Amino acid sequence: MSATPRLFVDDDLSDGASLDLSDEHARYLNQVLRKKLGDPVRVFNGRDGEFEARVENFSKHGGSLTCEHRTREQTTSPDLHLLFAPLKRQRTDLVVEKATELGASVILPVFTARTNADTVRTDRLRAICIEAAEQTERLEIPQVGEPLTLDKALDNWPQDRRLIFADESGDDGAAPWGGATGRAAPILEALTPFKDKQSRWAILIGPEGGFSPDERSTLRTLPFVTSVSLGPRILRAESAALAAMAVWQSVLGDWRG
């Protein structure tokens, strides 16, 4: 990994283009990293690949860079959406940061019957995505969707996108976590039949305490849903999201090389 700092910008990038630095970016380069005029900086915008630029100047409220040449062509991550029930702030931040690192193309908070969080600041989540992409050599930023209820998300669901539903419950309502009957297949077993098929995918992770019986019943009847188990232990919601994404990337995503 290059030691040259890396910034996400909104500007169009091309050889020789001049880029205005925001006050935040200028302060980071000048005061935190102690960069000087002429020092290299890598920039990307999610459209034009990555460019090497040079510090042109620093001013009282910003500065500028000059693009020199493209160092990487634009690529995109696999078409994988992550839907998750918002958690407490730090844990939500963790899910969003790691989902960006793991290659999610869309991150969508969904409110379920047992979701504890009341609000979600999508501007904050996008800022977390940008920082994670800058640090992990990713060339594009995941789209952060406005929060929806689970019902609303399912009502508008595209039929050509399969949905992995992390289902750790059984069918016996009187037994802890639903007993042993009606359990979903292990995620690796459930995904393997799709290995050579072209499909768009999403992963749905519920809140602490899982989905309500009505939500679980509805999900299991939908033709585009594949219910999966994430192993013999009950994972915390943030662990479940990251585990499911890692297995998906290994079987169907860009971890296959």
Side-chain angles (χ1 to χ4, degrees):
M1 181 181 297
S2 173
T4 304
R6 191 166 183 267
L7 300 177
F8 175 78
V9 298
D10 290 324
D11 311 68
D12 293 333
L13 302 177
S14 61
D15 292 358
S18 180
L19 310 176
D20 290 330
L21 285 171
S22 68
D23 185 37
E24 179 183 2
H25 279 163
R27 193 164 52 245
Y28 172 67
L29 292 174
N30 190 19
Q31 298 178 19
V32 178
L33 299 183
R34 303 294 184 186
K35 295 299 176 182
K36 297 178 174 52
L37 302 189
D39 282 351
V41 179
R42 293 181 296 153
V43 292
F44 68 107
N45 62 6
R47 305 183 302 274
D48 300 320
E50 181 183 89
F51 277 72
E52 182 168 297
R54 298 279 168 181
V55 176
E56 190 70 26
N57 68 74
F58 290 120
S59 64
K60 188 173 181 180
H61 297 292
S64 66
L65 305 174
T66 299
C67 281
E68 293 195 333
H69 61 274
R70 182 183 283 112
T71 55
R72 293 168 62 194
E73 295 290 337
Q74 183 65 37
T75 60
T76 57
S77 299
D79 187 3
L80 175 65
H81 295 191
L82 174 66
L83 286 71
F84 74 101
L87 305 163
K88 292 181 180 178
R89 176 171 161 170
Q90 288 186 337
R91 294 166 65 194
T92 290
D93 292 355
L94 175 68
V95 170
V96 172
E97 177 187 78
K98 300 309 177 187
T100 302
E101 294 179 19
L102 288 166
S105 57
V106 172
I107 298 172
L108 179 64
V110 291
F111 289 104
T112 67
R114 294 174 178 168
T115 299
N116 289 323
D118 296 324
T119 60
V120 177
R121 282 186 51 193
T122 54
D123 59 334
R124 174 181 172 78
L125 300 188
R126 177 169 166 77
I128 292 169
C129 289
I130 289 172
E131 184 174 352
E134 288 174 340
Q135 294 176 352
T136 57
E137 302 293 321
R138 185 167 174 173
L139 283 173
E140 86 283 14
I141 307 298
Q143 175 187 340
V144 178
E146 291 298 325
L148 294 173
T149 64
L150 179 59
D151 287 344
K152 186 76 73 175
L154 295 175
D155 285 345
N156 299 314
W157 196 262
Q159 297 298 302
D160 64 341
R161 183 177 296 279
R162 295 209 60 83
L163 178 64
I164 300 169
F165 153 47
D167 180 18
E168 303 303 337
S169 297
D171 291 338
D172 183 357
W177 286 93
T181 60
R183 292 280 176 176
I187 185 170
L188 181 60
E189 178 184 319
L191 292 183
T192 298
F194 296 95
K195 206 168 183 181
D196 298 318
K197 298 178 182 179
Q198 294 294 322
S199 298
R200 301 194 299 160
W201 285 86
I203 293 171
L204 171 63
I205 303 295
E208 298 297 333
F211 295 98
S212 72
D214 286 346
E215 289 169 338
R216 180 174 180 265
S217 177
T218 296
L219 284 163
R220 288 171 69 96
T221 63
L222 296 173
F224 52 81
V225 169
T226 298
S227 60
V228 302
S229 169
L230 298 177
R233 291 164 293 280
I234 301 300
L235 301 180
R236 295 179 68 158
E238 63 270 33
S239 300
L242 307 184
M245 287 191 66
V247 175
W248 187 91
Q249 283 285 28
S250 296
V251 179
L252 301 175
D254 58 9
W255 286 12
R256 294 179 294 172

